[in-house]
Amino acid sequence: MTATGTDISTTAPTRAGLSCLCAGQVAFVGSGPGDPDLLTVKALRALQDADVILFDRLVSDEILALAGPDAALENVGKEGFGPQISQDDICARLVVHALAGKKVVRLKSGDPTIFGRLDEELTAVEAAGIGFTIVPGITAASAAVAGIGQSLTQRGRNSSVRFLTGHDVQGFADHDWVALARPGAVAAIYMGKKSARFVQGRLIMHGGDRTTPVTVIENASRRDQRVLETTLGHLANDLAEARFDGPALTFLGLAPRASVAALTDLKMELA
């Protein structure tokens, strides 16, 4: 019984309390940012126990290599202006495999609960009467900020942090730009390369200081990670010159810690 007198065992659905992957059910698993050492133990167990794994484009090869030897791997990744698999098709595949009695893993990069279209897939499997479990993963923002030796929150600076997606600039319409432009504000923008100039303009328009630090991390936590240290006033131009072609996360209001930045520069000189 909880403090409010609610019996958790009778209110929590069986599918939400699964400790392992069962036949005829779906596990929505976060693969983390790409470094296999950052994969959770529970995620690893699910991968090794799965009959079918439907994975996203940004899931690293090192993570996929940890799947069981008999697991069927299906690439259902989406790429802007590239090959596309509809969300309806992905949902249909999950349902078909689970109803066939398979142990299904829906493998998403980062954490499945953050910009992962999780609700749409949960709705589909629920409608088909299929059980599920969710295995959280380390999201890109956590891995990226660790890579520059910083913290997402800091006493006296910011008591909150915003996670935004720059995949579609129309999604920025309802943001509180005045709050984002305030000194000390911190935000992590996923998939924000193409929207960098738009974000830069909106923040400056709403009073953002052009000297505000901005850091862009490409391929966070992976061997080919690259870090761009810039400012709000130079963001769009510096990012264009950097020519990042991998997944990148943009931090507004954060710069790499000086000691970490120096170490990164040294590694680049030795490479």
Side-chain angles (χ1 to χ4, degrees), residues 163-254:
F163 287 5
L164 315 175
T165 174
H167 181 66
D168 182 359
V169 294
Q170 291 181 343
F172 281 122
D174 297 328
H175 288 313
D176 186 347
W177 291 103
V178 173
L180 286 169
R182 288 172 185 155
V186 173
I189 302 179
Y190 290 68
M191 301 169 283
K193 289 185 296 184
K194 293 181 180 179
S195 60
R197 192 170 297 279
F198 176 86
V199 172
Q200 177 190 46
R202 281 299 179 98
L203 288 170
I204 293 174
M205 181 189 307
H206 288 83
D209 188 337
R210 290 176 178 269
T211 65
T212 299
V214 179
T215 305
V216 185
I217 299 96
E218 178 190 42
N219 298 320
S221 85
R222 307 190 189 201
R223 294 180 181 178
D224 56 350
Q225 173 178 295
R226 290 198 294 164
V227 177
L228 170 66
E229 182 178 0
T230 183
T231 62
L232 180 60
H234 293 94
L235 171 60
N237 290 339
D238 286 353
L239 186 55
E241 290 181 5
R243 297 186 179 183
F244 284 174
D245 56 10
L249 190 141
T250 302
F251 284 116
L252 300 175
L254 290 180

Side-chain angles (χ1 to χ4, degrees), residues 47-70:
L47 288 176
Q48 295 179 337
D49 198 33
D51 296 316
V52 182
I53 299 173
L54 283 71
F55 65 94
D56 281 342
R57 179 177 65 89
L58 296 181
V59 174
S60 69
D61 291 339
E62 292 84 355
I63 297 293
L64 293 175
L66 298 174
D70 298 324

